[in-house]
Amino acid sequence: MFRKLCAVLPFLCACAFAQTATIQGSVSDPSNAAIAGVNIRVTNVSTGVVTNVETNQSGLYSAPLLPPGSYSVEAEKPGFARAARTGLQLDVSQTARVDFALKIGAVTESVQVSAAALAVDSETSTVGQVINTKQILDLPLNGRNYLDLARLTTGVAPSFGSRTDSKGTF
């Protein structure tokens, strides 16, 4: 029993990590110097779950293992104006970069910026695409074979001449 569990455990962990996303970035002051010890509050808008992280000595932070969804991110430190980003949509395996430039001021001041969708993921070398239900239902797929959906992703080509064509090799 123990051997079976040891054999299956790495696959279960890999599956759990594959369904998450990450928000990372840096925090600086108006002179572009890094700010350490800034409280970063990452909020899942749909569920209300809050993840708190803090910047390191280089002003960098990372909030890993976030479920895909809509997020807002706030940066706050005494002596600086609070800054927030809203409307950040995370997909599976995405690493979003959210940098802050905090202005000197009272804690009661606040700067809000709405996030826009990234055209290119410059944080990782991962190539992927999320295909939603509406796209699946609207596409004229021959026989509704789910493997045909993989061809919609940029850079994916079928493996012609392989003995495993029917098994979904790309």
Side-chain angles (χ1 to χ4, degrees), residues 12-32:
L12 293 176
C13 291
C15 291
F17 288 113
Q19 303 301 316
T20 61
T22 302
I23 296 176
Q24 65 184 18
S26 64
V27 181
S28 60
D29 64 10
S31 68
N32 211 21

Side-chain angles (χ1 to χ4, degrees), residues 148-163:
D148 291 336
L149 294 173
R151 295 182 186 165
L152 297 175
T153 303
T154 305
V156 173
S159 176
F160 290 115
S162 171
R163 290 189 291 171

Side-chain angles (χ1 to χ4, degrees), residues 74-136:
E74 299 175 0
E76 188 173 36
K77 181 164 181 163
F80 292 91
R82 185 177 67 85
R85 301 273 168 86
T86 58
L88 183 63
Q89 182 65 37
L90 290 181
D91 292 323
V92 175
S93 298
Q94 179 181 359
T95 300
R97 184 163 187 94
V98 180
D99 294 330
F100 291 100
L102 298 183
K103 296 180 180 178
I104 297 174
V107 178
T108 57
E109 292 182 32
S110 167
V111 177
Q112 292 205 347
V113 179
S114 293
L118 296 174
V120 175
D121 183 8
S122 60
E123 297 302 314
T124 64
S125 61
T126 303
V127 177
Q129 180 177 351
V130 175
I131 300 171
N132 63 37
T133 306
K134 181 168 177 20
Q135 289 174 306
I136 294 171

Side-chain angles (χ1 to χ4, degrees), residues 62-74:
S62 180
L65 305 176
L66 301 171
S70 181
Y71 285 86
S72 67
V73 184
E74 299 175 0

